[in-house]
Amino acid sequence: MLELAVKGDKKYWAWIVALLAVIGGAFLLYLWQLKFGLGITGMSRDVSWGFYIANFTYLVGVAAGGVMVVLPYYLHDYKAYGRITVLGEFLAIGAIVMCLLFIIVDLGQPMRILNVWLYPTPHSVLFWDTIVLNGYLFLNLVVGWNVLEAERNNVHYQSWLKPFIYISIPWAVSIHTVTAYLYCGLPGRGFWLTAILAPRFLASAFAAGPALLILLCLFVRKISSFDPGREQIQALAKTVAYAICVNVFFFLCEVFVAFYSNIPEHMDHLKYLFAGLHGHGLLVPWMWASLLLMVVGIIMTVNPATRKNETTLAWACVVIIVGTWIDKGLGMISGGFVPNPLHEINEYAPTLPEIGITIGVYAAGALVLTILYKIAVGVKEEVRA
Amino acid sequence: MDSSRRSVLKFFGLTALGLAAKPVFNAFAGEHGKSAMHFEKGAEALKAKQWAMVIDTRKFESPDELEPIIEACNKAHNIPRFENKNHEIKWIWETEYHNAFPQMPNRFLSEEAEQRPYLVLCNHCENPPCCRACPTQATFKRESDGIVIMDFHRCIGCRFCMAACPFGSRSFNFRDPRPFIPELNHDYPTRMKGVVEKCNFCAERLAKGLEPACVEASGGAIVFGDLYDPESEVRKLLRENYTIRRKQSLGTEPCVYYIV
Ligand code: SF4
Ligand code: SF4
Ligand code: SF4
């Protein structure tokens, strides 16, 4: 099927070349980072994880979100999703590729990455995270590719795929759960030390992932003769609506617990994020914007009029993607590190090279996604022709 | 050949040996003794079940008195000095009461106790979350004497241990530290960029029968000894004085005690 990826028009190739150019530029920045060290980023002794790990966390969510089409189709036999499951699986692949790249660019000694498997350490959550992420990548590659190939040949997919498909469903939940456990099992980090962190991560994942998928479906319909389908998009939109409501609800639960219990360690991080602490409040406007965007997203997806209109729905998806990205990508990681364990405040902001490398990783993910979608859409067009 | 190059070679030699001799899947590889950071213990080596430290904060009045103690550690361990605060490396440093003990912010504290400078360093916790988090066992609790120690050659620089430490005891080499070391000590290795480091309770000095550098420089204000030897001086001080530890409620069991 790979040949489908090289049969594109001018616009397709221009897009590929543009992505390659961005990746090339970011790679140069990365070489600089390799040479100098992570000192070219805004991270510090106190905020020792920054933009890379934050985006990693966000994209684990996007990857897990793909399960929202796989599950109804295979478990509930919701036939309509048959048309787009492969789009969900391929989105997951693109997202996981970015996650793995973000982990690599975040390492101080990336050449030693194999140490994680040379000295397997079951008591480290990071060890498990590498396993679930790679496993999820593998599952989606195997399932997505073979099901698509079967569709192309007009046959039912091979029966040995079934177990892989069923495993991939809880596996999707596991990737975001284990990623949340990276944070919420750490003593002394009040902001993360909450049992609701994994559910909250999942809620925002099941909003952001399907929202992105809706946008991709609309885009695919626009540029190809394959229509993912109105019913499918509407069903996804309902998933987004529920998930974003649950996400905001979970957040409010956090706020209640922190402030009603009145325990400083739990309140201080939220105060820092939403009001500023001791005169430091770099993230305050961002966090309020995020909350506002998520509320607007709720209104637009819950209200049937705006949900059923695909133009307003598309905007709602954009709003939700941006809102959840700020929440997880900017607030979640920095917020946990400020104030630091000695209750000092050292704020974090990413530097330009750091942002450049991040954009490069996104471009790499977009490249993988473009190629996979090109193949998937090519097959769908063939079959329907 | 300088010592860091020698240890690199030793590391590669041992890694090759280790890889040949060990099955790759020894999931609970507990024996770290063969790593590059191991300093051969001679007959004169000081031994303990669990090393611990008691800091008598009453003996310090101003930050100036802590300066030589911190300097002793910096010198002994090739700690670089950076202008950029983001890149800072600290093994032991001075802070204020409410920063050292943020969970015990008593109001109307005795002015004298509140204004005292406090030394903070890695607590060599008996139940260390940093070791739990590390995916490569590059940081581990040494079975023989309870020191939480680093293998700089195994660390991948993921900084999970930094997030896991509730005391902010760890530093990361955001850039090559070597050009920023004021005075090179050839008896202790320098680090490369991209790895984490922290106080090692002077494992290299204990192996030679010496007390930690900060203890030596403290003029008796800091005492070092075996927590599980009822006759040790540490235990004697704990018996005779009221002591506190940092964030006891987290259950990490810090081994640095403070007389206040
Ligand atoms: S103080 Fe921090 S670095 Fe030291 S042993 Fe305890 S958790 Fe680990
Ligand atoms: S930075 Fe090094 S010591 Fe710390 S957790 Fe990662 S591998 Fe282990
Ligand atoms: S025990 Fe040694 S390494 Fe630790 S702070 Fe004191 S001098 Fe530094």
Side-chain angles (χ1 to χ4, degrees):
Chain A
M1 289 190 293
L2 267 177
E3 77 280 0
L4 290 172
V6 292
K7 280 192 284 185
D9 57 6
K10 257 209 185 112
K11 268 195 200 146
Y12 172 72
W13 286 108
W15 170 243
I16 298 273
V17 169
L19 286 177
L20 285 173
V22 174
I23 296 169
F27 188 70
L28 292 180
L29 288 173
Y30 181 62
L31 288 180
W32 177 28
Q33 180 184 296
L34 267 187
K35 190 159 182 304
F36 185 93
L38 281 162
I40 67 164
T41 69
M43 287 184 269
S44 64
R45 202 176 177 282
D46 288 331
V47 185
S48 47
W49 280 334
F51 218 43
Y52 299 147
I53 291 297
N55 280 293
F56 155 79
T57 309
Y58 185 76
L59 288 165
V60 173
V62 172
V67 80
M68 284 288 109
V69 286
V70 175
L71 187 147
Y73 178 59
Y74 289 108
L75 285 193
H76 298 285
D77 206 21
Y78 179 56
K79 291 272 181 346
Y81 273 169
R83 286 164 86 95
I84 58 166
T85 41
V86 71
L87 297 186
E89 283 155 351
F90 282 180
L91 173 60
I93 293 174
I96 294 281
V97 167
M98 288 187 265
C99 292
L100 296 175
L101 285 174
F102 272 121
I103 292 192
I104 291 171
V105 298
D106 187 67
L107 290 184
Q109 288 286 340
M111 297 74 76
R112 297 182 186 163
I113 190 165
L114 282 180
N115 281 1
V116 176
W117 291 308
L118 286 177
Y119 311 101
T121 309
H123 54 69
S124 169
V125 184
L126 201 56
F127 166 71
W128 291 108
D129 213 26
T130 60
I131 291 188
V132 290
L133 287 175
N134 283 295
Y136 194 59
L137 178 62
F138 170 78
L139 285 172
N140 277 292
L141 272 174
V142 170
V143 173
W145 193 263
N146 283 300
V147 172
L148 189 65
E149 190 137 57
E151 184 176 340
R152 190 184 195 193
N153 300 333
N154 234 333
V155 292
H156 193 269
Y157 57 83
Q158 303 93 312
S159 54
W160 59 263
L161 273 176
K162 270 267 153 157
F164 286 96
I165 292 168
Y166 287 135
I167 292 172
S168 82
I169 293 168
W171 204 288
V173 178
S174 86
I175 60 169
H176 220 18
T177 305
V178 175
T179 303
Y181 285 1
L182 287 177
Y183 307 104
C184 68
L186 306 177
R189 303 274 178 193
F191 188 54
W192 299 332
L193 192 69
T194 156
I196 213 173
L197 200 71
R200 195 176 151 199
F201 273 18
L202 285 167
S204 99
F206 293 157
L212 186 54
L213 197 55
I214 291 177
L215 292 180
L216 289 169
C217 285
L218 291 172
F219 182 71
V220 162
R221 177 199 283 159
K222 208 166 166 185
I223 57 146
S224 77
S225 62
F226 166 60
D227 180 4
R230 188 181 156 76
E231 184 195 340
Q232 286 78 351
I233 290 174
Q234 284 303 315
L236 276 176
K238 280 182 202 141
T239 307
V240 174
Y242 278 115
I244 190 71
C245 291
V246 173
N247 187 40
V248 172
F249 168 65
F250 283 171
F251 168 71
L252 294 176
C253 292
E254 294 266 30
V255 174
F256 171 79
V257 170
F259 285 90
Y260 195 81
S261 71
N262 207 36
I263 299 174
E265 257 176 280
H266 292 261
M267 288 190 296
D268 285 344
H269 300 277
L270 282 169
K271 277 189 192 159
Y272 166 69
L273 287 176
F274 284 90
L277 200 62
H278 308 310
H280 299 272
L282 207 59
L283 289 174
V284 174
W286 290 92
M287 295 316 290
W288 282 107
S290 156
L291 201 57
L292 187 76
L293 289 171
M294 290 197 279
V295 171
V296 171
I298 290 181
I299 296 171
M300 291 177 76
T301 48
V302 171
N303 175 7
T306 41
R307 186 179 63 236
K308 287 185 179 145
N309 176 332
E310 284 183 349
T311 316
T312 44
L313 176 64
W315 279 109
C317 290
V318 172
V319 160
I320 287 171
I321 290 170
V322 176
T324 50
W325 181 81
I326 297 174
D327 178 35
K328 238 173 177 170
L330 288 179
M332 185 56 70
I333 306 305
S334 290
F337 281 115
V338 186
N340 77 1
L342 285 90
H343 221 88
E344 297 153 335
I345 298 183
N346 287 309
E347 297 193 274
Y348 160 83
T351 59
L352 283 179
E354 195 175 2
I355 294 173
I357 293 173
T358 303
I359 292 175
V361 173
Y362 272 100
L367 183 65
V368 172
L369 197 66
T370 305
I371 293 172
L372 290 175
Y373 267 47
K374 175 86 179 116
I375 295 172
V377 171
V379 168
K380 302 271 182 190
E381 284 179 330
E382 254 179 43
V383 173
R384 273 159 191 79
Chain B
M1 191 160 55
D2 68 41
S3 70
S4 70
R5 268 194 31 223
R6 199 159 47 228
S7 29
V8 169
L9 286 182
K10 203 163 132 198
F11 172 72
F12 280 127
L14 284 169
T15 317
L17 257 181
L19 283 181
K22 278 186 181 175
V24 181
F25 257 84
N26 53 349
F28 291 92
E31 189 45 56
H32 285 279
K34 296 178 197 71
S35 75
M37 289 315 300
H38 183 65
F39 292 86
E40 291 304 325
K41 277 189 197 159
E44 72 281 23
L46 300 181
K47 295 189 181 77
K49 187 153 178 267
Q50 167 68 59
W51 288 114
M53 191 179 260
V54 178
I55 301 178
D56 190 345
T57 63
R58 296 169 306 186
K59 299 210 167 124
F60 301 118
E61 272 166 22
S62 77
D64 301 341
E65 294 161 46
L66 303 186
E67 213 33 58
I69 301 176
I70 297 168
E71 247 335 280
C73 178
N74 290 354
K75 244 194 214 142
H77 299 111
N78 291 321
I79 308 288
R81 197 173 293 154
F82 289 116
E83 291 293 320
N84 184 343
K85 199 166 174 279
N86 281 358
H87 300 164
E88 199 174 37
I89 306 272
K90 299 193 278 197
W91 285 26
I92 177 168
W93 69 101
E94 180 252 317
T95 189
E96 291 177 32
Y97 177 85
H98 66 268
N99 297 118
F101 305 100
Q103 288 173 329
M104 296 184 238
N106 251 1
R107 300 160 73 200
F108 318 119
L109 202 67
S110 121
E111 224 166 85
E112 186 269 324
E114 194 171 12
Q115 278 163 9
R116 253 180 242 160
Y118 290 81
L119 277 173
V120 284
L121 64 156
C122 167
N123 291 295
H124 296 272
C125 305
E126 285 190 76
N127 194 0
C130 54
C131 301
R132 210 152 57 223
C134 178
T136 63
Q137 300 155 42
T139 191
F140 57 96
K141 189 159 181 70
R142 196 158 73 174
E143 293 276 322
S144 55
D145 56 6
I147 295 184
V148 173
I149 212 162
M150 283 283 315
D151 180 344
F152 302 127
H153 298 278
R154 190 187 282 191
C155 173
I156 59 173
C158 65
R159 310 188 296 295
F160 198 12
C161 53
M162 294 177 80
C165 171
F167 306 98
S169 304
R170 297 179 158 261
S171 308
F172 178 72
N173 286 282
F174 279 99
R175 58 183 302 184
D176 182 9
R178 285 165 190 140
F180 300 90
I181 299 170
E183 209 181 308
L184 202 65
N185 168 17
H186 291 281
D187 293 333
Y188 194 77
T190 56
R191 274 75 67 196
M192 70 281 280
K193 64 172 182 264
V195 299
V196 164
E197 59 181 77
K198 65 169 196 74
C199 154
N200 66 347
F201 258 5
C202 285
E204 81 287 0
R205 289 173 58 94
L206 297 174
K208 286 194 263 175
L210 298 169
E211 294 225 288
C214 58
V215 175
E216 201 176 83
S218 72
I222 309 179
V223 170
F224 196 71
D226 187 352
L227 190 62
Y228 289 105
D229 172 7
E231 305 307 319
S232 71
E233 211 185 328
V234 158
R235 284 288 291 273
K236 184 167 166 279
L237 284 173
L238 293 182
R239 236 183 346 257
E240 290 166 3
N241 298 277
Y242 176 69
T243 51
I244 57 174
R245 289 180 289 169
R246 296 172 69 197
K247 301 192 181 177
Q248 273 156 292
S249 63
L250 298 181
T252 71
E253 298 295 348
C255 290
V256 175
Y257 292 75
Y258 295 83
I259 305 177
V260 282

